[in-house]
Amino acid sequence: MKLRTFLASTVAAAAALAFATPALAQNYKSEYRMSLVLGTAFPWGKGGEIWAAKVKEKTQGRINIKLYPGVSLIQGDQTREFSALRQGVIDMAVGSTINWSPQVKQLNLFSLPFLLPDYAAVDAVTQGEVGKSLFATLEKAGVVPLAWGENGYREISNSKHAIKTPADLKGLKIRVVGSPLFLDTFTALGANPTQMSWADAQPAMASGAVDGQENPISVYQAAKLHTVAQKHITMWGYMNDPLVFVVNKDIWNSWTPADREAVRQAAIEAGKEQIAIARKGMVEADKPLLKEIAANGVTITQLTPAERDAFVKATRPVHEKWKNQIGADLVQAAEKAVAARKP
Ligand code: X2X
């Protein structure tokens, strides 16, 4: 009798397994597609690579991720990434708040000129209540946000001359990302902004079709922008561009709760590591990354507080215009978090 019960339960367990395994295989894709603008030569792409490796390890290979840098799943059109993610053309991404801001207006927060004076301010906003509120917004917009990363402080470079005052920007043709707030900022500064994708930006600099651009120093160096005539950099720290680690909602729901947790933990760990990589060379007292760049014959202009203030004043109308579009409460909460930050 006992043996028969044992046999029966063994058979039942085996049957359950036999059903469970194919069901898992059916729900899980053999490969998930992760979208990135910048590849593994950049801190951004390294973050994606670290995330994918951690996911593979934590899920014992059940979730296998392939990287698609250059936003190649959407032919390089980076401002379409969020829509593609929501529609399932992309399974997951490490994406920039700038590129997603045409679809998620609250993400324009980070593009408000001179909102975040230093890294402590960035952390106070992303890692605090404002960051949580933005994740809730992203969730409502149809994706599952898991962790913050960072592209970095965007500094301006150009081929013509050192920029010390807003007047130095007058008439300069500056490539900006395809997000309307940037047109307002550079127009307010007297420049001539032109929108294009990152893929188009580099040939445009090489040919002289544009005079300048703005991107983090780590991007400038990894992309070797000194070789496309970008000989002058001004350290004005006018905005920081956080990254977000996200998964498409249907993909997320297709995973077991344990695997979701593994993917979340992997994103949180990868985000922390990625932020450290993005800041490397800029947080040390002697800023070794700037020394490396200067050694290539690039002029690096540091602004005095008074000089920087002239740029803050010139872009204040942009802040006023965009505050309500982003949400005055959200902007205020961010300003509060910045004011209360610990160094
Ligand atoms: O296009 C850019 O400038 C880049 C690479 O920084 C972003 O994707 C926001």
Side-chain angles (χ1 to χ4, degrees):
M1 196 63 188
K2 256 187 185 166
L3 180 67
R4 206 175 284 172
T5 315
F6 170 76
L7 280 177
S9 63
T10 310
V11 168
L17 249 182
F19 279 110
T21 311
L24 194 67
Q26 254 170 34
N27 287 339
Y28 278 44
K29 294 198 202 179
S30 60
E31 192 170 271
Y32 293 91
R33 314 203 292 177
M34 183 196 293
S35 179
L36 304 157
V37 177
L38 301 176
T40 53
F42 299 80
W44 186 335
K46 286 205 181 85
E49 185 177 52
I50 295 169
W51 186 22
K54 284 181 188 286
V55 166
K56 188 166 198 170
E57 188 204 311
K58 287 182 197 289
T59 64
Q60 288 85 42
R62 280 187 299 279
I63 297 177
N64 180 33
I65 299 165
K66 185 172 173 196
L67 272 49
Y68 288 84
V71 261
S72 57
L73 295 168
I74 44 169
Q75 294 77 44
D77 191 354
Q78 63 206 63
T79 50
R80 270 184 43 223
E81 189 180 54
F82 192 80
S83 306
L85 193 52
R86 197 160 37 189
Q87 289 157 4
V89 175
I90 292 170
D91 298 325
M92 55 211 299
V94 180
S96 153
T97 52
I98 300 175
N99 293 331
W100 297 354
S101 61
Q103 289 84 35
V104 187
K105 65 182 196 312
Q106 291 87 342
L107 292 179
N108 283 295
L109 176 74
F110 297 100
S111 306
L112 282 178
F114 304 102
L115 178 77
L116 303 171
D118 49 36
Y119 287 122
V122 178
D123 295 342
V125 170
T126 56
Q127 309 299 327
E129 289 307 314
V130 173
K132 278 194 198 125
S133 148
L134 288 169
F135 271 18
T137 301
L138 284 169
E139 188 106 42
K140 264 197 220 128
V143 300
V144 182
L146 301 174
W148 292 96
E150 182 167 297
N151 192 14
Y153 270 100
R154 299 179 75 90
E155 313 296 354
I156 187 151
S157 74
N158 83 95
S159 59
K160 299 286 187 204
H161 52 244
I163 296 170
K164 280 208 130 180
T165 69
D168 295 326
L169 266 162
K170 202 167 176 61
L172 285 188
K173 202 159 181 193
I174 306 292
R175 175 268 170 173
V176 294
V177 192
S179 163
L181 195 158
F182 288 79
L183 291 179
D184 287 348
T185 298
F186 285 87
T187 302
L189 289 167
N192 179 8
T194 172
Q195 292 186 333
M196 63 183 77
S197 71
W198 174 245
D200 292 338
Q202 295 166 89
M205 286 181 251
S207 71
V210 299
D211 303 315
Q213 64 88 45
E214 45 78 57
N215 249 296
I217 290 297
S218 62
V219 175
Y220 177 102
Q221 183 64 338
K224 302 186 173 67
L225 294 190
H226 65 281
T227 64
V228 287
Q230 298 296 296
K231 294 292 189 195
H232 304 275
I233 298 178
T234 296
M235 302 298 294
W236 64 344
Y238 87 119
M239 66 158 292
N240 191 302
D241 173 20
L243 303 176
V244 191
F245 290 62
V246 298
V247 175
N248 164 279
K249 201 165 257 176
D250 294 334
I251 297 291
W252 180 257
N253 289 333
S254 73
W255 292 334
T256 64
D259 280 346
R260 282 179 219 163
E261 197 43 38
V263 173
R264 182 191 299 281
Q265 278 313 316
I268 291 169
E269 291 171 23
K272 280 202 186 104
E273 289 179 31
Q274 193 278 331
I275 290 172
I277 296 169
R279 294 180 184 181
K280 197 166 171 281
M282 297 302 290
V283 284
E284 301 81 359
D286 59 341
K287 299 199 167 119
L289 190 53
L290 288 187
K291 284 193 172 156
E292 251 177 62
I293 291 172
N296 289 328
V298 177
T299 314
I300 299 176
T301 302
Q302 301 285 351
L303 300 176
T304 64
E307 283 167 345
R308 189 172 182 274
D309 213 42
F311 289 94
V312 177
K313 284 211 178 78
T315 53
R316 196 62 198 177
V318 180
H319 180 104
E320 293 307 326
K321 175 181 168 185
W322 279 84
K323 190 171 68 185
N324 291 325
Q325 297 192 39
I326 294 165
D329 288 353
L330 189 69
V331 175
Q332 240 167 42
E335 285 170 335
K336 262 197 185 152
V338 171
R341 75 191 182 280
K342 296 191 185 74

